[in-house]
Amino acid sequence: MSETQNAPSDTQIDPAQMHLPQAVEPRNAGLPLDMAWLRSVQANSSAIERRAKTLPGRRTVKKDHQAAWLCRAISCIDLTTLSGDDTEGRVRRLCAKARQPVRHDLLEALGMEGLTVGAVCVYHEMVAPAVAALQGSNIPVAAVSTGFPAGLSPFPLRVAEIEASTAAGAREIDIVISRRHVLTGNWQALYNEMRAFRDACGEAHVKAILATGELGSLRNVARASLVCMMAGADFIKTSTGKESVNATLPVTLVMLRAIRDYHAATGWRVGYKPAGGISKAKDALVYLSMIKEELGDRWLRPDLFRFGASSLLGDIERQLEHHVTGQYSAGWRHAVG
């Protein structure tokens, strides 16, 4: 493809910078909509589902290795509150947890002092309080936008919402696509919408939420993933967390392979974010192992991988306490917000 000549070369990354959530290499610039490439995309559902079923039992890590993987999972969490009864007080508590996600004595025992989550994700109204609470931490605020979760508000309002959130200090914007464009095969409309959202974000990184549980087929998931990447998405994300079906392993496999194909063709690395329903430490380990197998170690960093989660952190902290002390504590001892 002609665009490949402008692709970035592999970037040497300073190890001291690797924990930082903001990207440390050039952003995905996107490329013109390639309908021939898009039409060639297929998804063998039965093969995908067979492969996904094998994953939980094929890779296990124990003891110190498990603790290290769980700490990596924490660094990749978008700690989230998206409730109608959110208050500034709740958001400040969430931000305090983002700064200190695990008890200090446990982090000290693990040699992981200074560990933080990847970002804090909130509605637009809570962006300013979150930015204030995280000042000096280098933890970015992510705002859900564009009429989240349905994405059915008037288009000018969706664009204005992005602009308002970036003006309030959000460094990442989680947008929702119009599912109808996928369901009707109107790929040009999806591309134009995603491009407009990317442009409205300016310097803020944009995560495209596909709402995969509402797209009808794995082939649609694969094609929607590719279109959003062509339009410049920095991340593709499974779900809003509000659908009846959210992140699943088959959907993850499809999206990861779309990312891999896009990187092979263009040189641009795009991030991945599963969201909704991932609440147990053992599930986080499965997703991390899947990332490692499909995309490699480079994607096991917060600039290219995030969990959209609220309760996951509590279970990980409980598992780390067991690793350090040999005892399980009650779940309520590890409240998140």
Side-chain angles (χ1 to χ4, degrees):
M1 299 180 65
S2 60
E3 289 80 6
T4 305
Q5 63 185 359
N6 296 321
S9 59
D10 283 356
T11 304
Q12 294 297 315
I13 301 166
D14 179 357
Q17 300 282 316
M18 290 296 281
H19 71 289
L20 298 179
Q22 292 300 91
V24 292
E25 60 179 85
R27 296 174 66 182
N28 169 34
L31 49 107
L33 181 63
D34 187 333
M35 289 302 301
W37 186 4
L38 195 62
R39 283 192 290 268
S40 73
V41 172
Q42 302 293 331
N44 185 332
S45 297
S46 59
I48 291 165
E49 290 169 0
R50 282 198 306 272
R51 162 108 169 107
K53 285 180 181 178
T54 68
L55 285 165
R58 288 178 57 243
R59 293 287 183 267
T60 58
V61 287
K62 301 294 184 183
K63 299 183 178 179
D64 288 347
H65 297 288
Q66 183 182 86
W69 277 68
L70 290 177
C71 288
R72 175 56 54 84
I74 289 172
S75 74
C76 295
I77 288 177
D78 278 3
L79 198 58
T80 302
T81 182
L82 297 172
S83 300
D85 59 352
D86 282 343
T87 64
E88 292 189 10
R90 174 183 290 175
V91 168
R92 285 194 294 269
R93 290 193 297 274
L94 193 74
C95 292
K97 187 67 173 177
R99 286 174 174 267
Q100 182 72 52
V102 178
R103 280 196 347 245
H104 178 74
D105 60 309
L106 298 179
L107 290 180
E108 188 175 29
L110 293 166
M112 292 299 298
E113 299 94 327
L115 179 68
T116 70
V117 303
V120 170
C121 186
V122 294
Y123 279 116
H124 168 75
E125 284 295 301
M126 296 297 153
V127 169
V131 169
L134 293 172
Q135 189 172 7
S137 70
N138 206 40
I139 301 170
V141 173
V144 295
S145 193
T146 62
F148 180 95
L152 292 174
S153 56
F155 183 77
L157 294 183
R158 285 181 276 161
V159 172
E161 188 179 7
I162 293 173
E163 294 170 344
S165 291
T166 57
R171 290 158 61 190
E172 301 176 4
I173 304 293
D174 289 28
I175 64 95
V176 289
I177 67 168
S178 296
R179 284 70 127 181
R180 66 184 182 278
H181 296 330
V182 178
L183 296 172
T184 59
N186 194 345
W187 303 112
Q188 187 67 58
L190 177 61
Y191 178 91
N192 293 344
E193 176 184 79
M194 182 68 238
R195 191 73 231 180
F197 292 161
R198 161 68 191 267
D199 291 344
C201 285
E203 295 300 313
H205 286 215
V206 58
K207 306 190 196 89
I209 307 173
L210 304 186
T212 54
E214 298 178 348
L215 296 188
S217 69
L218 291 176
R219 184 175 69 174
N220 277 348
V221 171
R223 291 180 173 180
S225 298
L226 186 57
V227 171
C228 287
M229 289 187 287
M230 288 178 179
D234 296 298
F235 267 70
I236 52 175
K237 175 180 171 182
T238 59
S239 324
T240 65
K242 309 294 187 180
E243 296 91 59
S244 58
V245 178
N246 294 294
T248 68
L249 294 180
V251 158
T252 294
L253 185 59
V254 168
M255 294 176 71
L256 294 185
R257 289 187 173 175
I259 290 171
R260 187 173 69 188
D261 290 346
Y262 184 80
H263 176 251
T266 69
W268 301 106
R269 291 187 175 95
V270 174
Y272 175 66
K273 179 178 174 180
I278 304 171
S279 60
K280 300 297 182 184
K282 63 181 180 180
D283 296 329
L285 294 174
V286 173
Y287 277 89
L288 289 173
S289 66
M290 197 173 187
I291 292 285
K292 182 176 175 66
E293 288 190 6
E294 294 294 328
L295 296 177
D297 289 347
R298 178 62 191 89
W299 267 265
L300 292 172
R301 302 286 179 179
D303 66 319
L304 288 174
F305 180 68
R306 301 285 180 83
F307 289 107
S310 54
S311 58
L312 174 61
L313 178 56
D315 192 60
I316 291 178
E317 186 177 13
R318 186 168 179 261
Q319 300 302 322
L320 290 176
E321 181 170 4
H322 178 263
H323 176 75
V324 171
T325 68
Q327 298 176 327
Y328 279 112
S329 63
W332 58 265
R333 287 172 52 89
H334 305 287
V336 173

